[in-house]
Amino acid sequence: MEEENIQVVTNSAPPAILATQAKYDRFGRIFYNMALTSLTLDLIALLSMVLGPIMLLFAIVVLFLAVAAMVVFTFGTVLLNAGNPASRLWSLLGSIMDSADGINTFVGFCVEMTKWISILGLVASICSIVFISLNNSKGKTGKLVFLIINIVVLAIVLILHLASGGQLWQN
Amino acid sequence: MAKLDLEFVGFENALDCIAIDGEIVKLKRTRKKTRICTLEMKNNNTEIVAYKTHYYTSKNWFWWNFLYYIVSFFGLFDIKQTKKCLVQDAKINISSENDANAIISRVNFTDGGKLLEVETQAKVEEISNIQYNDKDARKKHLKMKKIKTATTIAVAVLTVLLIVFL
């Protein structure tokens, strides 16, 4: 009986303006999270650039391996039962981690990733600015200021990266 | 035109937004942690809508949620959604021929209970005023969660297989 009553009372549809705002808000927050993550990763890369390639290796490898390990160990067990593909995967991972060349390749991969993270962060920041501007959320001004700073930082990292031809971190 | 002074009590992060006469208004904060605004009533009548809902209301709820999931890199950058699918829905008309003021307070959550309490000398008409947990939306939420998990696993397996065979 109570549920029926609820259905009768709540027949007022959400105003279109509020439904649209909710969509803008969700997209704005998703892109904001992306921008925030890319800034964090880029700051680690910048810090590593100051401290040297060993720190780059330390900081970024730890970060990426944490994510990669989760994926590999979850599906590694499944693949182990599949025979050949699993052994190929494990030997590939083993060879990367064992050899000096492998580590250099991995550093190269991380440096390349920094470029793509910067590009992704820039796109996410711009999208976030657009959606947050359209939306009427709380703390709008603060978020917009942060995103503009974010764009500046990411652009600097990207310019530094492109200007050095990706060699800046490796020198 | 008659003026209406509105004071909202207990609206700190409580509702997504408040629309007055179909427009989302900026409310001033006060030291008492309430929010205030003054407006002119068109035809001596003002409609106040306070609405918060989940993301499963629209007709294409599945596709919208799937789009959020894909755009956020398989939910990695998405916002945290609570298990409770709370709906807060209030639509109130305040009418007065003279200047008036109204204190609109948010009532603590009780399933199926009132959302707003209005104190005013003006005439108040409640079109809707309720907050409740949406059980249908919760079912949709759980269904969506299963689909997202299955998609994530499928994409991860596909990625690993591509790495191995290419």
Side-chain angles (χ1 to χ4, degrees), chain A residues 48-114:
Chain A
S48 310
M49 194 178 75
V50 176
L51 296 173
I54 293 166
M55 277 306 291
L56 170 81
L57 186 70
F58 178 74
I60 298 185
V61 164
V62 166
L63 210 79
F64 279 98
L65 279 187
V67 180
M70 273 169 62
V71 177
V72 169
F73 284 106
T74 310
F75 299 103
T77 324
V78 180
L79 281 168
L80 266 175
N81 299 327
N84 193 34
S87 58
R88 282 173 66 183
L89 178 72
W90 289 115
S91 63
L92 182 76
L93 282 173
S95 64
I96 287 173
M97 297 321 292
D98 287 345
S99 66
D101 282 347
I103 290 171
N104 284 335
T105 311
F106 197 73
V107 171
F109 168 75
C110 291
V111 170
E112 188 65 15
M113 279 300 286
T114 312

Side-chain angles (χ1 to χ4, degrees), chain B residues 71-137:
Chain B
V71 170
S72 64
F73 279 88
F74 305 102
L76 195 65
F77 298 105
D78 207 351
I79 55 165
K80 275 187 184 175
Q81 278 182 282
T82 52
K83 283 179 186 174
K84 282 181 183 174
C85 291
L86 197 69
V87 177
Q88 296 180 320
D89 174 15
K91 201 175 196 179
I92 288 166
N93 276 330
I94 297 179
S95 50
S96 173
E97 288 178 4
N98 306 313
D99 290 358
N101 55 14
I103 300 170
I104 299 171
S105 318
R106 182 179 167 268
V107 181
N108 286 337
F109 179 77
T110 44
D111 200 5
K114 271 193 171 187
L115 173 65
L116 301 179
E117 203 75 67
V118 188
E119 289 174 46
T120 180
Q121 66 271 42
K123 194 184 164 193
V124 179
E125 184 196 354
E126 282 184 10
I127 297 163
S128 70
N129 187 7
I130 195 166
Q131 50 182 337
Y132 64 100
N133 276 320
D134 194 334
K135 286 170 189 169
D136 287 342

Side-chain angles (χ1 to χ4, degrees), chain B residues 51-63:
Chain B
Y51 199 88
K52 184 180 185 172
T53 188
H54 41 74
Y55 294 95
Y56 304 98
T57 43
S58 67
K59 214 176 179 183
N60 302 315
W61 64 270
F62 176 82
W63 295 112

Side-chain angles (χ1 to χ4, degrees), chain A residues 5-69:
Chain A
N5 188 26
I6 288 169
Q7 290 302 321
V8 173
V9 179
T10 58
N11 59 1
S12 72
I17 188 168
L18 296 187
T20 317
Q21 287 283 316
K23 283 181 185 119
Y24 289 158
D25 180 56
R26 179 96 178 246
F27 279 122
R29 280 153 84 177
I30 288 170
F31 287 120
Y32 187 78
N33 286 346
M34 273 186 208
L36 197 73
T37 312
S38 60
L39 180 73
T40 313
L41 291 172
D42 265 13
L43 285 178
I44 291 171
L46 270 178
L47 193 74
S48 310
M49 194 178 75
V50 176
L51 296 173
I54 293 166
M55 277 306 291
L56 170 81
L57 186 70
F58 178 74
I60 298 185
V61 164
V62 166
L63 210 79
F64 279 98
L65 279 187
V67 180

